[in-house]
Amino acid sequence: MTWLITGGAGYIGAHVARAMLDAGEGAVVYDDLSTGIAERVPRDVPLEVGSTLDGERLARVIRGHGVTGVVHLAAKKQVGESVEQPLRYYRENVEGLRTLLGAVTDAGVPSFVFSSSAAVYGMPDVVLVTEDTPCAPMSPYGETKLAGEWLVRATGRATGLSTASLRYFNVAGAAAPALADTGVFNLVPMVFEKLTEGSAPRVFGADYPTPDGTCVRDYIHVVDLAEAHVATARRLREAPGTDLTLNIGRGEGVSVREMIDRITAHTGHTLSPVVVDRRPGDPARVVASADRAATELGWKARHGVDEMIASAWEGWKHHHPAR
Ligand code: WQD
């Protein structure tokens, strides 16, 4: 099989491309390189530079490479930016997906894996979020992911396309330093940035109704997440007519304070965190039930938080060499 991996020059997409190769699957990356980095794409994988808004180019790439399945990760992913630029987020994330699905169904490609997010749940009021927990996204970003799931499912029902939406929880870590995330928008890199600047990491609120007062999240190693894509892709191939929605997390909550403690312990920095105001829109606790992915895919995360931190730190040092 040849899998078209859109967004395959991005942080998560490049890990998916690598996992596909390691699993003996064929892969082609399609990326507009707006945030992707060409060097992240494995050497043996062709890179086609293009936008998901360009249906004609997508059709040519799908035909030219004999694509037999798609893993669609290309999207904008910053929550705050989506509040300021909703039109851009709907265009890139929903119109881009609609255009891609048009090319996919015209070409008769049978399988489609969609990159969704725990952001579809918004502020869930449950200990473990299952796939049946009501969705109530809190940002245009989360809305575009939920609308994307609907569009993917409706297309599957109408055309027989086998589909899966994977709801990623909090992704961290790297398979190799060069593949690490270069953005500083999430807890782990934001703490690294503060520590390397010599300033105290910030805790956005310590008065949440959680055991230590800080927000609890479900962190998942990007290597495990990439393997979940391979397992999903194979499942779709083996069971045509499939329609899956799966949480991809570990089912284990870790608080912000605990994460920062583990990061400072690993990096040898001794700066204590400072508590600052809450960041608007942050839910107190979002932790996956990972049961359905285990049942449906036989997949389970294998890496813990310390491996995420250690590999992310190597990646941070690679991308931010000391001056
Ligand atoms: C985690 C916790 C912060 C930085 C977001 C998106 C989600 C997904 C992943 C997708 C929160 C706290 C952070 C800091 C802190 N995006 N924090 N000090 O908000 O759970 O999820 O990223 O593609 O859709 O919403 O992740 O890493 O930003 O924050 O205290 O310096 O760390 O308040 O509680 P979040 P995050």
Side-chain angles (χ1 to χ4, degrees), residues 69-114:
V70 174
V71 183
H72 176 49
L73 298 103
K76 305 302 297 170
K77 64 167 186 179
Q78 287 179 47
V79 173
E81 188 179 69
S82 79
V83 175
E84 286 150 25
Q85 302 177 33
L87 296 177
R88 179 166 173 225
Y89 271 67
Y90 272 83
R91 179 173 151 84
E92 300 252 345
N93 293 6
V94 182
E95 176 58 14
L97 169 64
R98 195 197 64 78
T99 306
L100 173 61
L101 282 169
V104 163
T105 52
D106 283 352
V109 174
S111 305
F112 194 89
V113 181
F114 175 59

Side-chain angles (χ1 to χ4, degrees), residues 79 117 119 141 170 186-187 202-204 215 217 256 279 282:
V79 173
S117 168
Y141 166 73
N170 289 61
N186 296 108
L187 175 63
R202 292 170 303 163
V203 175
F204 295 151
C215 291
R217 295 289 182 272
V256 167
R279 191 173 67 178
D282 276 340

Side-chain angles (χ1 to χ4, degrees), residues 14-38:
H15 282 90
V16 172
R18 182 184 161 124
M20 285 289 193
L21 271 197
D22 288 351
E25 303 283 343
V28 183
V29 163
Y30 189 86
D31 198 298
D32 68 2
L33 299 182
S34 57
T35 53
I37 302 172

